[in-house]
Amino acid sequence: MTDLHQVASADTQRAPHTVDVEWYREELKQQRKFRLDQLTHLAYEGLAAFDDARSEVTTTLMRAARTALADIDAALFRLVIGRFGECQRCGRAISEDRLRAVPMASLCLRCQLAKGAANPHLQTWRTGTIPPPTPAPTLPPRPPRDIVEVWGEDSFPASDPPANW
């Protein structure tokens, strides 16, 4: 039997939940590089932000990129210690389809849905029910815009309307 046959027979004996570690390592490294480049770009953009709205958007995007980077680093660590593809909550294997879609996934779909069940927005989306409307907040009365609103149109003599002031 040749070495090629031994390798082929070893591949057929592989457990069904084993994953192609090298493919995922390369995929995660590419995603990590992308996130680092994104953070660098956003940092320069944040320095050049000239208004509060743009600065707030940049800060939010940077926070999301840092979170994604942390998830990628955690997945790379799980690759190193041999726990990649294993649910961190229940210990079951994460499906290959889920890992291909989200390589940094740390939970199987069942545990991810259970984790999201605490989120009322996800629950509404899954069940298709619409929650009761929340009452609109009561706003304080707006201040008057000009003197006519304060005193009224009839408070001024016809010869001296506020428009002439």
Side-chain angles (χ1 to χ4, degrees):
M1 189 188 296
T2 66
D3 289 338
L4 185 59
H5 286 33
Q6 289 173 346
V7 170
S9 64
D11 280 346
T12 58
Q13 294 172 357
R14 211 182 259 180
H17 68 278
T18 58
V19 294
D20 184 5
V21 174
E22 288 306 314
W23 186 87
Y24 286 106
R25 182 175 286 118
E26 288 305 313
E27 181 70 21
L28 288 167
K29 283 181 179 179
Q30 287 177 3
Q31 288 189 20
R32 187 173 197 284
K33 182 183 178 326
F34 170 78
R35 292 301 176 182
L36 289 172
D37 291 345
Q38 182 184 28
L39 280 169
T40 303
H41 175 73
L42 287 170
Y44 284 120
E45 190 173 298
L47 293 173
F50 51 87
D51 61 355
D52 289 339
R54 182 175 291 240
S55 177
E56 188 175 331
V57 168
T58 302
T59 302
T60 303
L61 289 173
M62 287 181 73
R63 187 178 307 123
R66 279 190 214 107
T67 301
L69 187 60
D71 291 344
I72 292 166
D73 287 341
L76 285 168
F77 179 73
R78 288 192 303 274
L79 272 171
V80 169
I81 64 171
R83 304 288 301 261
F84 184 80
E86 181 180 309
C87 179
Q88 300 298 299
R89 184 179 271 183
C90 69
R92 286 187 288 239
I94 300 173
S95 73
E96 183 76 20
D97 291 338
R98 178 163 169 73
L99 286 175
R100 289 277 178 180
V102 186
M104 69 283 297
S106 64
L107 300 174
C108 66
L109 188 56
R110 182 182 307 209
C111 290
Q112 184 69 43
L113 290 174
K115 178 182 173 187
N119 185 339
H121 299 293
L122 289 177
Q123 189 66 25
T124 301
W125 177 75
R126 263 189 302 209
T127 61
T129 59
I130 298 172
T134 57
T138 57
L139 300 174
R142 69 173 178 77
R145 288 182 284 181
D146 60 12
I147 197 165
V148 175
E149 284 189 25
V150 174
W151 295 102
E153 191 72 41
D154 297 334
S155 300
F156 300 97
S159 62
D160 191 23
N164 295 336
W165 290 2

